[in-house]
């Protein structure tokens, strides 16, 4: 489909800002009927599908359409398919579209546009774009709320109907692109979860034949203290396969007053939990670093959270800034010929037996923490090194694909914001008559 656009040059000043000369300002009530929600008796709520789907407020809102989990056998206020649902009790201003007939509670209003004069999808996007104005309509010192009168009196733009439809179609195409990306990411994440479980327990094995990765189902197992594993795998303690296991400086070894904004970086739990080692601005002086030099981490070290959010892991990457670990972290420096650091990190993050051991060991301490002597005792399954590397390779490929799609989504979102900014304000017009075209894309 060819989209035709032109840049608008003639504007008029209005109470809600500059708009094109041929657009109008209308009250919302002149284009739509407003139905304020009312909650039915709680005795009528059910999850068995009796009656109509029921939405109390914005908790069930998603990107465009809500996802109700509750039903009511006695609906009082009803939204029809295509109605714009608006949150009218704190937090106010969020909007969704009713995907089908449903009951709305007092936290919502349904805005039913007259299709003869207004395009509901255009106004879904428009109401999103004026969320700050909607928030300012909210009254109340503790819990803000929007009244029916507030909505009826709300001034909104009114472009020609055919232009409303053109704008809505363009923005919907972008949203459909985002939806496709979201579904692809969700599918890849499901595949990853399934593979993680099978590969880390050895129920599915992987090998390389003539440069191609081959999966096969394992049939021969042995019972061990951490569950069934393939016969050719071993169970080892982390102490057996590590050069060093060390926890971060505790107590007076690193005081808050000794932290600064330059020097040698101090890596914290945030870096591990987000797997991003560019984050953070805690540093120590070079003199202090000399006292804590055995806390320095090297590329390939496996970092482990040991206090608070216990039992999460990430591998310290090549090229990261030189630094030490914080009090809430430990590092494990593995014997490279026996154990892949990335494989160990996967085990810590996803293997149920390792997770269970970490919880048990931390619960046994007074402060609910992991110490080096306990970390050394953790038992892990040990496949041959080449198999560990293939497991890491497979899961890394999926992670890279997920990351590519997430970047694609960011591009779509950037495009969406840009288009909303120019199309919903009339700075760029969608035209149907080729004589009015300024730019064709």
């Amino acid at each position: 489909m060819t989209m035709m656009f032109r840049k608008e040059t003639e504007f008029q000043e209005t109470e809600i800002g500059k708009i094109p000369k041929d657009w109008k300002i209308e009250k919302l009530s002149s284009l739509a009927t407003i139905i304020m929600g009312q909650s039915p008796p709680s005795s009528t709520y059910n999850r068995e599908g009796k009656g109509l789907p029921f939405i109390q407020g914005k908790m069930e809102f998603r990107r465009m359409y809500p996802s109700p989990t509750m039903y009511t056998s006695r609906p009082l206020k009803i939204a029809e398919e295509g109605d714009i649902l608006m949150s009218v009790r704190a937090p106010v201003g969020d909007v969704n579209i009713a995907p089908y007939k449903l009951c709305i509670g007092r936290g919502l209003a349904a805005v039913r546009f007259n299709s003869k004069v207004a395009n509901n999808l255009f106004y879904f996007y428009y109401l999103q774009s004026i969320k700050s104005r909607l928030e300012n309509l909210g009254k109340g010192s503790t819990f803000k709320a929007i009244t029916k009168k507030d909505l009826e009196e709300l001034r909104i733009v009114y472009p020609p109907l055919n232009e409303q439809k053109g704008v809505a179609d363009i923005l919907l195409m972008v949203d459909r692109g985002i939806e496709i990306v979201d579904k692809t990411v969700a599918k890849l994440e499901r595949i990853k979860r399934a593979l993680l479980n099978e590969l880390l327990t050895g129920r599915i094995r992987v090998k390389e034949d003539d440069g191609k990765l081959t999966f096969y189902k394992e049939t021969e197992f042995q019972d061990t203290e951490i569950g069934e594993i393939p016969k050719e795998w071993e169970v080892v303690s982390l102490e057996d396969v590590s050069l060093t296991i060390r926890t971060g400086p505790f107590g007076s070894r690193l005081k808050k007053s000794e932290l600064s904004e330059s020097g040698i970086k101090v890596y914290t739990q945030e870096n591990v939990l987000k797997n991003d080692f560019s984050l953070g601005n805690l540093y120590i002086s070079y003199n202090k670093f000399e006292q804590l030099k055995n806390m320095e981490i090297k590329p390939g070290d496996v970092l482990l959270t040991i206090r608070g959010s216990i039992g999460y892991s990430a591998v310290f990457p090549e090229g990261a800034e030189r630094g030490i670990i914080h009090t809430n972290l430990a590092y494990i420096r593995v014997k490279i010929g026996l154990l892949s650091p990335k494989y160990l990190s996967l085990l810590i993050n996803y293997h149920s037996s390792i997770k269970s051991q970490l919880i048990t060991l931390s619960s046994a301490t007074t402060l609910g923490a992991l110490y080096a002597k306990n970390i050394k005792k953790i038992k892990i399954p040990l496949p041959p090194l080449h198999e560990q590397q293939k497991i890491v390779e497979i899961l890394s490929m999926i992670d890279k694909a997920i990351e590519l799609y997430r970047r694609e989504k960011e591009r779509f979102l950037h495009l969406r914001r840009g288009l909303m900014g120019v199309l919903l304000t009339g700075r760029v017009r969608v035209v149907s008559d080729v004589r009015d075209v300024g730019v064709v894309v």
Side-chain angles (χ1 to χ4, degrees), residues 224-243:
T224 73
E225 60 204 287
I226 60 170
E228 271 192 347
I229 63 171
K231 274 197 172 180
E232 63 183 285
W233 288 17
E234 300 177 60
V235 173
V236 297
S237 68
L238 280 183
E239 186 174 25
D240 296 331
V241 289
S242 302
L243 297 171

PDB file of all heavy atoms in Angstrom, residues 224-243:
ATOM      1  N   THR A 224      22.099 -39.968  41.053  1.00  0.00           N
ATOM      2  CA  THR A 224      23.122 -39.266  41.836  1.00  0.00           C
ATOM      3  C   THR A 224      22.431 -38.408  42.890  1.00  0.00           C
ATOM      4  O   THR A 224      21.206 -38.282  42.910  1.00  0.00           O
ATOM      5  CB  THR A 224      23.976 -38.346  40.946  1.00  0.00           C
ATOM      6  OG1 THR A 224      23.194 -37.197  40.579  1.00  0.00           O
ATOM      7  CG2 THR A 224      24.455 -39.058  39.684  1.00  0.00           C
ATOM      8  N   GLU A 225      23.236 -37.804  43.722  1.00  0.00           N
ATOM      9  CA  GLU A 225      22.700 -36.940  44.785  1.00  0.00           C
ATOM     10  C   GLU A 225      22.019 -35.689  44.245  1.00  0.00           C
ATOM     11  O   GLU A 225      21.284 -35.005  44.967  1.00  0.00           O
ATOM     12  CB  GLU A 225      23.824 -36.540  45.748  1.00  0.00           C
ATOM     13  CG  GLU A 225      24.954 -35.782  45.066  1.00  0.00           C
ATOM     14  CD  GLU A 225      26.261 -35.884  45.823  1.00  0.00           C
ATOM     15  OE1 GLU A 225      26.364 -35.230  46.889  1.00  0.00           O
ATOM     16  OE2 GLU A 225      27.161 -36.602  45.368  1.00  0.00           O
ATOM     17  N   ILE A 226      22.261 -35.349  42.981  1.00  0.00           N
ATOM     18  CA  ILE A 226      21.594 -34.178  42.383  1.00  0.00           C
ATOM     19  C   ILE A 226      20.593 -34.609  41.314  1.00  0.00           C
ATOM     20  O   ILE A 226      20.161 -33.804  40.497  1.00  0.00           O
ATOM     21  CB  ILE A 226      22.614 -33.180  41.794  1.00  0.00           C
ATOM     22  CG1 ILE A 226      23.455 -33.837  40.693  1.00  0.00           C
ATOM     23  CG2 ILE A 226      23.481 -32.587  42.872  1.00  0.00           C
ATOM     24  CD1 ILE A 226      24.304 -32.852  39.915  1.00  0.00           C
ATOM     25  N   GLY A 227      20.212 -35.884  41.330  1.00  0.00           N
ATOM     26  CA  GLY A 227      19.225 -36.383  40.389  1.00  0.00           C
ATOM     27  C   GLY A 227      19.843 -37.229  39.289  1.00  0.00           C
ATOM     28  O   GLY A 227      21.047 -37.504  39.289  1.00  0.00           O
ATOM     29  N   GLU A 228      19.026 -37.653  38.353  1.00  0.00           N
ATOM     30  CA  GLU A 228      19.495 -38.472  37.237  1.00  0.00           C
ATOM     31  C   GLU A 228      20.371 -37.663  36.286  1.00  0.00           C
ATOM     32  O   GLU A 228      20.023 -36.546  35.921  1.00  0.00           O
ATOM     33  CB  GLU A 228      18.299 -39.008  36.438  1.00  0.00           C
ATOM     34  CG  GLU A 228      17.765 -40.340  36.926  1.00  0.00           C
ATOM     35  CD  GLU A 228      16.781 -40.932  35.919  1.00  0.00           C
ATOM     36  OE1 GLU A 228      16.346 -40.226  35.007  1.00  0.00           O
ATOM     37  OE2 GLU A 228      16.463 -42.115  36.084  1.00  0.00           O
ATOM     38  N   ILE A 229      21.506 -38.255  35.902  1.00  0.00           N
ATOM     39  CA  ILE A 229      22.356 -37.633  34.888  1.00  0.00           C
ATOM     40  C   ILE A 229      22.832 -38.741  33.945  1.00  0.00           C
ATOM     41  O   ILE A 229      22.809 -39.926  34.304  1.00  0.00           O
ATOM     42  CB  ILE A 229      23.567 -36.899  35.500  1.00  0.00           C
ATOM     43  CG1 ILE A 229      24.490 -37.881  36.236  1.00  0.00           C
ATOM     44  CG2 ILE A 229      23.127 -35.767  36.413  1.00  0.00           C
ATOM     45  CD1 ILE A 229      25.813 -37.266  36.673  1.00  0.00           C
ATOM     46  N   PRO A 230      23.274 -38.405  32.738  1.00  0.00           N
ATOM     47  CA  PRO A 230      23.795 -39.430  31.824  1.00  0.00           C
ATOM     48  C   PRO A 230      24.959 -40.204  32.452  1.00  0.00           C
ATOM     49  O   PRO A 230      25.726 -39.653  33.256  1.00  0.00           O
ATOM     50  CB  PRO A 230      24.260 -38.619  30.618  1.00  0.00           C
ATOM     51  CG  PRO A 230      23.396 -37.399  30.635  1.00  0.00           C
ATOM     52  CD  PRO A 230      23.199 -37.087  32.088  1.00  0.00           C
ATOM     53  N   LYS A 231      25.090 -41.459  32.062  1.00  0.00           N
ATOM     54  CA  LYS A 231      26.107 -42.327  32.651  1.00  0.00           C
ATOM     55  C   LYS A 231      27.525 -41.797  32.486  1.00  0.00           C
ATOM     56  O   LYS A 231      28.378 -42.033  33.345  1.00  0.00           O
ATOM     57  CB  LYS A 231      25.996 -43.733  32.043  1.00  0.00           C
ATOM     58  CG  LYS A 231      24.988 -44.609  32.756  1.00  0.00           C
ATOM     59  CD  LYS A 231      25.190 -46.069  32.409  1.00  0.00           C
ATOM     60  CE  LYS A 231      24.296 -46.958  33.293  1.00  0.00           C
ATOM     61  NZ  LYS A 231      24.471 -48.379  32.979  1.00  0.00           N
ATOM     62  N   GLU A 232      27.788 -41.111  31.386  1.00  0.00           N
ATOM     63  CA  GLU A 232      29.157 -40.646  31.149  1.00  0.00           C
ATOM     64  C   GLU A 232      29.451 -39.286  31.782  1.00  0.00           C
ATOM     65  O   GLU A 232      30.566 -38.791  31.693  1.00  0.00           O
ATOM     66  CB  GLU A 232      29.450 -40.606  29.654  1.00  0.00           C
ATOM     67  CG  GLU A 232      28.585 -39.641  28.872  1.00  0.00           C
ATOM     68  CD  GLU A 232      28.876 -39.706  27.385  1.00  0.00           C
ATOM     69  OE1 GLU A 232      29.920 -39.184  26.963  1.00  0.00           O
ATOM     70  OE2 GLU A 232      28.056 -40.293  26.654  1.00  0.00           O
ATOM     71  N   TRP A 233      28.443 -38.670  32.386  1.00  0.00           N
ATOM     72  CA  TRP A 233      28.688 -37.434  33.114  1.00  0.00           C
ATOM     73  C   TRP A 233      29.163 -37.749  34.530  1.00  0.00           C
ATOM     74  O   TRP A 233      28.996 -38.855  35.036  1.00  0.00           O
ATOM     75  CB  TRP A 233      27.404 -36.603  33.206  1.00  0.00           C
ATOM     76  CG  TRP A 233      26.970 -35.956  31.925  1.00  0.00           C
ATOM     77  CD1 TRP A 233      27.370 -36.266  30.665  1.00  0.00           C
ATOM     78  CD2 TRP A 233      26.018 -34.899  31.799  1.00  0.00           C
ATOM     79  NE1 TRP A 233      26.736 -35.477  29.757  1.00  0.00           N
ATOM     80  CE2 TRP A 233      25.884 -34.612  30.412  1.00  0.00           C
ATOM     81  CE3 TRP A 233      25.262 -34.163  32.701  1.00  0.00           C
ATOM     82  CZ2 TRP A 233      25.036 -33.625  29.926  1.00  0.00           C
ATOM     83  CZ3 TRP A 233      24.400 -33.183  32.217  1.00  0.00           C
ATOM     84  CH2 TRP A 233      24.290 -32.912  30.848  1.00  0.00           C
ATOM     85  N   GLU A 234      29.748 -36.741  35.180  1.00  0.00           N
ATOM     86  CA  GLU A 234      30.181 -36.870  36.569  1.00  0.00           C
ATOM     87  C   GLU A 234      29.436 -35.870  37.450  1.00  0.00           C
ATOM     88  O   GLU A 234      28.868 -34.898  36.958  1.00  0.00           O
ATOM     89  CB  GLU A 234      31.684 -36.577  36.705  1.00  0.00           C
ATOM     90  CG  GLU A 234      32.609 -37.467  35.916  1.00  0.00           C
ATOM     91  CD  GLU A 234      34.049 -37.012  36.086  1.00  0.00           C
ATOM     92  OE1 GLU A 234      34.530 -36.998  37.244  1.00  0.00           O
ATOM     93  OE2 GLU A 234      34.675 -36.655  35.075  1.00  0.00           O
ATOM     94  N   VAL A 235      29.461 -36.122  38.738  1.00  0.00           N
ATOM     95  CA  VAL A 235      29.035 -35.130  39.721  1.00  0.00           C
ATOM     96  C   VAL A 235      30.281 -34.684  40.470  1.00  0.00           C
ATOM     97  O   VAL A 235      31.027 -35.517  41.000  1.00  0.00           O
ATOM     98  CB  VAL A 235      27.998 -35.697  40.714  1.00  0.00           C
ATOM     99  CG1 VAL A 235      27.715 -34.683  41.822  1.00  0.00           C
ATOM    100  CG2 VAL A 235      26.700 -36.033  39.986  1.00  0.00           C
ATOM    101  N   VAL A 236      30.538 -33.383  40.483  1.00  0.00           N
ATOM    102  CA  VAL A 236      31.724 -32.846  41.151  1.00  0.00           C
ATOM    103  C   VAL A 236      31.309 -31.678  42.045  1.00  0.00           C
ATOM    104  O   VAL A 236      30.238 -31.087  41.863  1.00  0.00           O
ATOM    105  CB  VAL A 236      32.776 -32.371  40.128  1.00  0.00           C
ATOM    106  CG1 VAL A 236      33.291 -33.541  39.286  1.00  0.00           C
ATOM    107  CG2 VAL A 236      32.211 -31.271  39.241  1.00  0.00           C
ATOM    108  N   SER A 237      32.158 -31.352  42.996  1.00  0.00           N
ATOM    109  CA  SER A 237      31.933 -30.141  43.793  1.00  0.00           C
ATOM    110  C   SER A 237      32.608 -28.978  43.085  1.00  0.00           C
ATOM    111  O   SER A 237      33.544 -29.165  42.295  1.00  0.00           O
ATOM    112  CB  SER A 237      32.504 -30.304  45.193  1.00  0.00           C
ATOM    113  OG  SER A 237      33.916 -30.365  45.141  1.00  0.00           O
ATOM    114  N   LEU A 238      32.125 -27.768  43.349  1.00  0.00           N
ATOM    115  CA  LEU A 238      32.763 -26.601  42.735  1.00  0.00           C
ATOM    116  C   LEU A 238      34.234 -26.503  43.128  1.00  0.00           C
ATOM    117  O   LEU A 238      35.056 -26.034  42.337  1.00  0.00           O
ATOM    118  CB  LEU A 238      32.017 -25.320  43.130  1.00  0.00           C
ATOM    119  CG  LEU A 238      30.738 -25.014  42.353  1.00  0.00           C
ATOM    120  CD1 LEU A 238      30.143 -23.688  42.799  1.00  0.00           C
ATOM    121  CD2 LEU A 238      30.990 -24.998  40.859  1.00  0.00           C
ATOM    122  N   GLU A 239      34.565 -26.939  44.308  1.00  0.00           N
ATOM    123  CA  GLU A 239      35.966 -26.918  44.750  1.00  0.00           C
ATOM    124  C   GLU A 239      36.836 -27.770  43.825  1.00  0.00           C
ATOM    125  O   GLU A 239      37.985 -27.428  43.547  1.00  0.00           O
ATOM    126  CB  GLU A 239      36.069 -27.426  46.188  1.00  0.00           C
ATOM    127  CG  GLU A 239      37.466 -27.292  46.779  1.00  0.00           C
ATOM    128  CD  GLU A 239      37.492 -27.659  48.249  1.00  0.00           C
ATOM    129  OE1 GLU A 239      36.634 -28.435  48.690  1.00  0.00           O
ATOM    130  OE2 GLU A 239      38.384 -27.155  48.956  1.00  0.00           O
ATOM    131  N   ASP A 240      36.293 -28.893  43.322  1.00  0.00           N
ATOM    132  CA  ASP A 240      37.065 -29.796  42.457  1.00  0.00           C
ATOM    133  C   ASP A 240      37.423 -29.163  41.122  1.00  0.00           C
ATOM    134  O   ASP A 240      38.419 -29.535  40.501  1.00  0.00           O
ATOM    135  CB  ASP A 240      36.263 -31.083  42.173  1.00  0.00           C
ATOM    136  CG  ASP A 240      36.000 -31.899  43.429  1.00  0.00           C
ATOM    137  OD1 ASP A 240      36.822 -31.817  44.357  1.00  0.00           O
ATOM    138  OD2 ASP A 240      34.969 -32.603  43.468  1.00  0.00           O
ATOM    139  N   VAL A 241      36.594 -28.235  40.654  1.00  0.00           N
ATOM    140  CA  VAL A 241      36.777 -27.711  39.294  1.00  0.00           C
ATOM    141  C   VAL A 241      37.108 -26.216  39.284  1.00  0.00           C
ATOM    142  O   VAL A 241      37.008 -25.557  38.256  1.00  0.00           O
ATOM    143  CB  VAL A 241      35.520 -27.963  38.447  1.00  0.00           C
ATOM    144  CG1 VAL A 241      35.377 -29.433  38.113  1.00  0.00           C
ATOM    145  CG2 VAL A 241      34.256 -27.448  39.140  1.00  0.00           C
ATOM    146  N   SER A 242      37.505 -25.676  40.443  1.00  0.00           N
ATOM    147  CA  SER A 242      37.801 -24.248  40.548  1.00  0.00           C
ATOM    148  C   SER A 242      39.216 -24.017  41.030  1.00  0.00           C
ATOM    149  O   SER A 242      39.748 -24.792  41.841  1.00  0.00           O
ATOM    150  CB  SER A 242      36.828 -23.551  41.511  1.00  0.00           C
ATOM    151  OG  SER A 242      35.492 -23.721  41.084  1.00  0.00           O
ATOM    152  N   LEU A 243      39.827 -22.930  40.542  1.00  0.00           N
ATOM    153  CA  LEU A 243      41.129 -22.496  41.039  1.00  0.00           C
ATOM    154  C   LEU A 243      40.963 -21.657  42.294  1.00  0.00           C
ATOM    155  O   LEU A 243      41.719 -21.799  43.255  1.00  0.00           O
ATOM    156  CB  LEU A 243      41.849 -21.675  39.963  1.00  0.00           C
ATOM    157  CG  LEU A 243      42.201 -22.404  38.662  1.00  0.00           C
ATOM    158  CD1 LEU A 243      42.701 -21.409  37.621  1.00  0.00           C
ATOM    159  CD2 LEU A 243      43.257 -23.472  38.934  1.00  0.00           C
TER     160      LEU A 243
END
